[in-house]
DNA sequence: CTGTTAGCGCCTTCAG
DNA sequence: CTGAAGGCGCTAACAG
């Protein structure tokens, strides 16, 4: 491996001079600077970030940990975070926890050991509390995205999940639906909880009955096994006339399961969900959704993170951004009666 | 920051003993091991990966650089790579080049400086040659995914793009289409070239006319601006009866543009493409595609990479895996005549 | 079983 | 404008 000493020897200067050329610090004569640069190129020198971070005590690395890399909500969010990081002069790396607390834990360990300068996280759930406390204890700045974690105070970007659920239920109610079921992610995820709350409130508000039988708590992540959903559908009697899905992944899984049972959306049963279904949905705008500004989640979150990193002493109060969501009516709801 | 010296002092041992406990090397009495471990927990010690990597000359970090994080082909590939890495005991981080050579370059710089142990890359295009040569020069093992780069010899996982294109054209031909257009990614990307070659060969084989006017070379990445596609559609006279899209992103963009012009698929014009359209396509299986085993690209690529890293001395010949692709007939092709 | 010494590649500090 | 010394946190190699 080529080091500054190799450069120094070849250029007849000290290692210190080479270091100064690399970092553009101190005053160097144009002549030596040019010579050093030439030698660096000749030798294909690449600075050793490890060594540098070790002495500087910072890595200039930011990290985004998302919960599901195959979910377009998160990949769009990732684009936003990346764009903001670039614009502000930082490099960003990604990780994928797969909605899995253990994998998240592994990433946290890695990041802590790597001494990343800051972290953007969509936490896997409430069980992320200890991981986040560890980050805090080690003074790693972080911003939560999309999900809060009880017991954790931090900067955060959220969607208005409760209001979104209310809008979905109201829309169904306005279309004459009275038996409205909900399939949801795990209630250990704050967004799932909020959506569930909003669902129940809206039922009450619209004088609609609530029944436990009509609610299935499962997981936001993609699963190969759809039998749980199928059993739920089999259990409900009578079938609901509409289903609210807690996110886009669940919506797709429900539709597939319904189709397998010979039921069609919206002819036999209506369906709405949270989060848009990627640009691919634009081919055939079909599912009525609560659309969230995924890109903004990432962009604004990254801005907050970098702000904290750049001005650690200011230490203002935690900021909370709640992004509004929008009901987009398409064709997955049939008016009944 | 807590260091092994802090631990050592508190536990009345030397730093070396602490190091041995951390790494489970050498022989340590159960008593001291227990004591050291207790002190580490008390002090919330986290090993400094920088320092460790510096002396060990390896980071245990693997990296996957994909070309478009919003494309389900690549996110599925990412899942495959991640699963393989976990199974083999490695950690994986991600980056997204956005089909952009400059961003790719930035990532390469970062990775080189970070001294990652190995890299999985879906290169942005032929212009990646110098980046890859740099990796090679610095002896960073890498495996190419999905795209080859002329001038670069390496392990690689490819799809059979040429054959895929032939199948698509044959399918259209069998359905009576004679005016078949193609929209493609940049020809500086090997998969786009292969698909173009396959398209031309298949036209000849099926006695169909080839016309430059019917071919648009653009980019595989997502663009906000669809006017280029719109102008192309306006230029073709007469309109083709079918279009082959070089990938899923382009297919969606073409459909959107056609719809904006009041043209419907497949009633007014048929369309086929490469790569599946995410699980969301399962809602309404619509576009006839050449489906590739995205997950396997990542999984097999990662296996090859780790194999190289673990057995650097063996240095067998470069391996090339060509994954077969499969024509999935859906509803986006209308039989004509 | 445990400690000492030296050095990984770089930068800060202090002298010239 | 340039250089020498020391240390960031850790581990390999050698002593004991």
């Amino acid at each position: 491996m080529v080091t500054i000493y190799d450069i120094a020897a070849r250029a007849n200067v000290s290692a210190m001079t080479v270091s100064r050329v690399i970092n553009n610090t101190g005053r160097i004569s144009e002549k030596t600077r040019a010579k050093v640069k030439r030698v660096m190129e000749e030798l294909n020198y690449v600075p050793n970030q490890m060594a540098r971070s070790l002495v500087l005590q910072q890595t200039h690395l930011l990290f985004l940990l998302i919960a599901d890399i195959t979910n377009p909500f998160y990949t769009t969010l990732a684009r936003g975070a990346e764009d903001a990081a670039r614009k502000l002069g930082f490099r960003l790396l990604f990780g994928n926890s797969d909605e899995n607390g253990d994998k998240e834990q592994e990433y946290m360990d890695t990041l802590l050991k790597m001494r990343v300068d800051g972290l953007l996280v969509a936490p896997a759930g409430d069980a992320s509390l200890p991981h986040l406390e560890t980050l805090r204890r080690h003074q790693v700045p972080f911003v939560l995205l999309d999900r809060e974690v009880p017991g954790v105070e931090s900067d955060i970007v959220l969607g208005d999940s409760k209001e979104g659920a209310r809008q979905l239920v109201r829309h169904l109610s306005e279309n004459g639906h009275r038996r409205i079921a909900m399939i949801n992610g795990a209630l250990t995820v704050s967004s799932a909880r909020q959506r569930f709350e909003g669902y129940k409130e809206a039922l009450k508000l619209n004088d609609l009955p609530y029944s436990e039988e009509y609610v299935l708590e499962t997981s936001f992540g993609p699963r190969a096994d759809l039998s749980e959903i199928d059993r739920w559908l089999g259990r409900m009697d009578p079938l609901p006339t509409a289903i609210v899905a807690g996110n886009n992944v669940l919506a797709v899984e429900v539709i597939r399961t319904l189709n397998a049972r010979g039921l069609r959306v919206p002819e036999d049963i209506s369906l709405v969900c949270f989060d848009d279904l990627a640009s691919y949905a634009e081919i055939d705008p079909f599912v009525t959704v609560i659309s969230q500004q995924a890109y903004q989640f990432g962009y604004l979150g990254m801005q907050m993170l970098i702000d904290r990193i750049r001005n650690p002493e200011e230490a203002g109060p935690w900021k909370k951004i709640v992004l509004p969501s929008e009901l987009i009516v398409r064709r997955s709801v049939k008016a009944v009666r």
Side-chain angles (χ1 to χ4, degrees), chain A residues 274-303:
Chain A
F274 281 83
D275 299 334
D276 229 320
L277 273 65
S279 70
Y280 303 93
E282 292 166 14
I283 291 182
D284 179 21
F286 174 62
V287 182
T288 292
V289 302
I290 285 290
S291 171
Q292 299 198 92
Q293 305 173 44
Y295 186 89
Q296 290 299 320
F297 274 72
Y299 200 94
L300 298 175
M302 182 55 79
Q303 284 187 326

Short mmCIF file of all heavy atoms in Angstrom, two decimals, chain A residues 274-303:
data_model
loop_
_atom_site.label_atom_id
_atom_site.label_comp_id
_atom_site.label_asym_id
_atom_site.label_seq_id
_atom_site.Cartn_x
_atom_site.Cartn_y
_atom_site.Cartn_z
N PHE A 274 -52.25 2.77 2.63
CA PHE A 274 -51.27 3.82 2.82
C PHE A 274 -50.11 3.64 1.84
O PHE A 274 -49.72 2.51 1.54
CB PHE A 274 -50.69 3.77 4.24
CG PHE A 274 -51.58 4.38 5.26
CD1 PHE A 274 -52.62 3.65 5.80
CD2 PHE A 274 -51.42 5.70 5.65
CE1 PHE A 274 -53.46 4.21 6.74
CE2 PHE A 274 -52.25 6.27 6.58
CZ PHE A 274 -53.28 5.53 7.13
N ASP A 275 -49.54 4.73 1.42
CA ASP A 275 -48.34 4.77 0.58
C ASP A 275 -48.65 4.38 -0.87
O ASP A 275 -49.39 3.44 -1.12
CB ASP A 275 -47.25 3.82 1.08
CG ASP A 275 -46.80 4.19 2.47
OD1 ASP A 275 -46.92 5.37 2.84
OD2 ASP A 275 -46.32 3.29 3.19
N ASP A 276 -48.01 5.08 -1.74
CA ASP A 276 -48.24 4.82 -3.15
C ASP A 276 -47.51 3.56 -3.60
O ASP A 276 -46.62 3.07 -2.92
CB ASP A 276 -47.81 6.02 -3.99
CG ASP A 276 -48.92 6.39 -4.96
OD1 ASP A 276 -49.54 5.46 -5.51
OD2 ASP A 276 -49.17 7.58 -5.14
N LEU A 277 -47.91 3.04 -4.75
CA LEU A 277 -47.39 1.76 -5.20
C LEU A 277 -46.30 1.91 -6.26
O LEU A 277 -46.27 1.16 -7.24
CB LEU A 277 -48.53 0.90 -5.76
CG LEU A 277 -49.26 0.06 -4.73
CD1 LEU A 277 -49.98 0.93 -3.74
CD2 LEU A 277 -50.20 -0.90 -5.40
N ALA A 278 -45.41 2.85 -6.08
CA ALA A 278 -44.30 3.02 -7.01
C ALA A 278 -44.81 3.58 -8.32
O ALA A 278 -46.01 3.61 -8.58
CB ALA A 278 -43.58 1.71 -7.27
N SER A 279 -43.89 3.98 -9.14
CA SER A 279 -44.27 4.57 -10.42
C SER A 279 -45.03 3.56 -11.26
O SER A 279 -45.80 3.92 -12.14
CB SER A 279 -43.03 5.02 -11.17
OG SER A 279 -42.31 3.89 -11.60
N TYR A 280 -44.82 2.28 -10.95
CA TYR A 280 -45.47 1.25 -11.74
C TYR A 280 -46.98 1.34 -11.62
O TYR A 280 -47.72 0.89 -12.49
CB TYR A 280 -44.94 -0.11 -11.32
CG TYR A 280 -43.46 -0.12 -11.47
CD1 TYR A 280 -42.64 0.21 -10.41
CD2 TYR A 280 -42.90 -0.33 -12.72
CE1 TYR A 280 -41.28 0.29 -10.58
CE2 TYR A 280 -41.54 -0.25 -12.89
CZ TYR A 280 -40.73 0.06 -11.83
OH TYR A 280 -39.40 0.15 -11.99
N ALA A 281 -47.43 1.94 -10.50
CA ALA A 281 -48.86 2.11 -10.31
C ALA A 281 -49.41 3.09 -11.35
O ALA A 281 -50.60 3.11 -11.64
CB ALA A 281 -49.15 2.62 -8.91
N GLU A 282 -48.52 3.91 -11.91
CA GLU A 282 -48.98 4.92 -12.85
C GLU A 282 -49.41 4.31 -14.18
O GLU A 282 -50.12 4.93 -14.96
CB GLU A 282 -47.89 5.96 -13.09
CG GLU A 282 -47.62 6.78 -11.86
CD GLU A 282 -46.34 7.56 -11.98
OE1 GLU A 282 -45.81 7.66 -13.10
OE2 GLU A 282 -45.85 8.05 -10.94
N ILE A 283 -48.95 3.11 -14.42
CA ILE A 283 -49.39 2.42 -15.62
C ILE A 283 -50.90 2.31 -15.60
O ILE A 283 -51.58 2.57 -16.57
CB ILE A 283 -48.85 0.97 -15.64
CG1 ILE A 283 -47.36 0.98 -15.84
CG2 ILE A 283 -49.53 0.19 -16.74
CD1 ILE A 283 -46.80 -0.42 -15.93
N ASP A 284 -51.38 1.93 -14.45
CA ASP A 284 -52.80 1.68 -14.33
C ASP A 284 -53.22 2.16 -12.95
O ASP A 284 -53.22 1.40 -12.00
CB ASP A 284 -53.03 0.17 -14.46
CG ASP A 284 -54.51 -0.16 -14.32
OD1 ASP A 284 -55.34 0.75 -14.52
OD2 ASP A 284 -54.82 -1.31 -13.98
N PRO A 285 -53.50 3.46 -12.84
CA PRO A 285 -53.81 4.03 -11.52
C PRO A 285 -55.04 3.32 -10.97
O PRO A 285 -56.14 3.55 -11.44
CB PRO A 285 -54.10 5.50 -11.82
CG PRO A 285 -53.53 5.75 -13.17
CD PRO A 285 -53.66 4.44 -13.90
N PHE A 286 -54.84 2.49 -10.01
CA PHE A 286 -55.90 1.58 -9.62
C PHE A 286 -56.26 1.72 -8.14
O PHE A 286 -57.41 1.98 -7.79
CB PHE A 286 -55.45 0.15 -9.93
CG PHE A 286 -56.38 -0.89 -9.44
CD1 PHE A 286 -57.69 -0.94 -9.94
CD2 PHE A 286 -56.00 -1.80 -8.48
CE1 PHE A 286 -58.56 -1.90 -9.48
CE2 PHE A 286 -56.88 -2.76 -8.03
CZ PHE A 286 -58.17 -2.81 -8.52
N VAL A 287 -55.28 1.60 -7.27
CA VAL A 287 -55.60 1.58 -5.84
C VAL A 287 -55.73 2.99 -5.27
O VAL A 287 -54.84 3.83 -5.43
CB VAL A 287 -54.53 0.81 -5.05
CG1 VAL A 287 -54.90 0.76 -3.58
CG2 VAL A 287 -54.36 -0.59 -5.61
N THR A 288 -56.82 3.23 -4.60
CA THR A 288 -57.02 4.48 -3.87
C THR A 288 -56.13 4.45 -2.63
O THR A 288 -56.15 3.49 -1.86
CB THR A 288 -58.50 4.60 -3.45
OG1 THR A 288 -59.29 4.79 -4.63
CG2 THR A 288 -58.71 5.78 -2.51
N VAL A 289 -55.32 5.50 -2.47
CA VAL A 289 -54.31 5.48 -1.41
C VAL A 289 -54.23 6.80 -0.64
O VAL A 289 -54.70 7.83 -1.10
CB VAL A 289 -52.90 5.22 -1.98
CG1 VAL A 289 -52.84 3.91 -2.74
CG2 VAL A 289 -52.46 6.39 -2.87
N ILE A 290 -53.62 6.72 0.52
CA ILE A 290 -53.09 7.90 1.19
C ILE A 290 -51.64 7.98 0.75
O ILE A 290 -50.83 7.12 1.09
CB ILE A 290 -53.16 7.75 2.71
CG1 ILE A 290 -54.59 7.94 3.20
CG2 ILE A 290 -52.26 8.76 3.39
CD1 ILE A 290 -55.10 9.36 3.10
N SER A 291 -51.34 9.01 -0.03
CA SER A 291 -49.98 9.14 -0.55
C SER A 291 -49.15 9.99 0.40
O SER A 291 -49.59 11.03 0.88
CB SER A 291 -50.04 9.78 -1.93
OG SER A 291 -48.75 10.10 -2.37
N GLN A 292 -47.93 9.54 0.69
CA GLN A 292 -47.04 10.33 1.55
C GLN A 292 -45.87 10.87 0.72
O GLN A 292 -45.48 10.28 -0.26
CB GLN A 292 -46.48 9.45 2.66
CG GLN A 292 -47.54 8.88 3.57
CD GLN A 292 -46.94 8.39 4.87
OE1 GLN A 292 -46.87 9.12 5.84
NE2 GLN A 292 -46.48 7.16 4.89
N GLN A 293 -45.33 11.97 1.17
CA GLN A 293 -44.23 12.60 0.44
C GLN A 293 -42.91 11.92 0.79
O GLN A 293 -42.06 12.48 1.48
CB GLN A 293 -44.15 14.07 0.79
CG GLN A 293 -45.47 14.82 0.56
CD GLN A 293 -45.40 16.23 1.08
OE1 GLN A 293 -44.40 16.93 0.87
NE2 GLN A 293 -46.43 16.65 1.79
N ALA A 294 -42.76 10.72 0.26
CA ALA A 294 -41.62 9.89 0.64
C ALA A 294 -40.29 10.62 0.47
O ALA A 294 -39.43 10.61 1.35
CB ALA A 294 -41.62 8.60 -0.17
N TYR A 295 -40.12 11.28 -0.67
CA TYR A 295 -38.86 11.97 -0.97
C TYR A 295 -38.54 13.00 0.12
O TYR A 295 -37.41 13.12 0.57
CB TYR A 295 -38.96 12.64 -2.33
CG TYR A 295 -37.69 13.28 -2.83
CD1 TYR A 295 -36.77 12.56 -3.58
CD2 TYR A 295 -37.41 14.62 -2.55
CE1 TYR A 295 -35.61 13.14 -4.04
CE2 TYR A 295 -36.25 15.22 -3.00
CZ TYR A 295 -35.35 14.48 -3.75
OH TYR A 295 -34.20 15.06 -4.20
N GLN A 296 -39.58 13.72 0.53
CA GLN A 296 -39.39 14.75 1.55
C GLN A 296 -38.98 14.16 2.91
O GLN A 296 -38.21 14.79 3.64
CB GLN A 296 -40.67 15.57 1.72
CG GLN A 296 -40.97 16.47 0.53
CD GLN A 296 -39.87 17.49 0.31
OE1 GLN A 296 -39.31 18.06 1.24
NE2 GLN A 296 -39.52 17.71 -0.96
N PHE A 297 -39.49 13.00 3.23
CA PHE A 297 -39.06 12.36 4.47
C PHE A 297 -37.53 12.29 4.52
O PHE A 297 -36.90 12.66 5.49
CB PHE A 297 -39.60 10.92 4.56
CG PHE A 297 -40.98 10.80 5.12
CD1 PHE A 297 -42.08 11.21 4.39
CD2 PHE A 297 -41.19 10.27 6.38
CE1 PHE A 297 -43.37 11.09 4.90
CE2 PHE A 297 -42.48 10.15 6.91
CZ PHE A 297 -43.56 10.55 6.17
N GLY A 298 -36.97 11.81 3.43
CA GLY A 298 -35.52 11.66 3.39
C GLY A 298 -34.80 12.99 3.31
O GLY A 298 -33.81 13.21 3.99
N TYR A 299 -35.31 13.86 2.47
CA TYR A 299 -34.63 15.14 2.24
C TYR A 299 -34.59 15.98 3.52
O TYR A 299 -33.54 16.45 3.94
CB TYR A 299 -35.32 15.90 1.10
CG TYR A 299 -34.45 16.97 0.48
CD1 TYR A 299 -33.69 16.68 -0.65
CD2 TYR A 299 -34.35 18.23 1.05
CE1 TYR A 299 -32.87 17.65 -1.22
CE2 TYR A 299 -33.54 19.20 0.49
CZ TYR A 299 -32.80 18.90 -0.65
OH TYR A 299 -31.98 19.85 -1.20
N LEU A 300 -35.76 16.15 4.12
CA LEU A 300 -35.83 16.99 5.32
C LEU A 300 -35.10 16.34 6.50
O LEU A 300 -34.43 17.02 7.27
CB LEU A 300 -37.30 17.24 5.69
CG LEU A 300 -38.09 18.00 4.62
CD1 LEU A 300 -39.56 18.11 5.01
CD2 LEU A 300 -37.49 19.39 4.39
N GLY A 301 -35.22 15.02 6.60
CA GLY A 301 -34.53 14.33 7.68
C GLY A 301 -33.02 14.53 7.57
O GLY A 301 -32.33 14.81 8.56
N MET A 302 -32.51 14.42 6.34
CA MET A 302 -31.07 14.60 6.14
C MET A 302 -30.64 16.03 6.48
O MET A 302 -29.59 16.24 7.09
CB MET A 302 -30.72 14.27 4.69
CG MET A 302 -29.25 14.36 4.36
SD MET A 302 -28.20 13.35 5.42
CE MET A 302 -28.44 11.73 4.70
N GLN A 303 -31.46 16.98 6.11
CA GLN A 303 -31.13 18.37 6.46
C GLN A 303 -31.02 18.54 7.97
O GLN A 303 -30.08 19.17 8.47
CB GLN A 303 -32.20 19.31 5.90
CG GLN A 303 -32.10 19.54 4.41
CD GLN A 303 -33.07 20.61 3.93
OE1 GLN A 303 -34.17 20.73 4.45
NE2 GLN A 303 -32.66 21.37 2.93
#
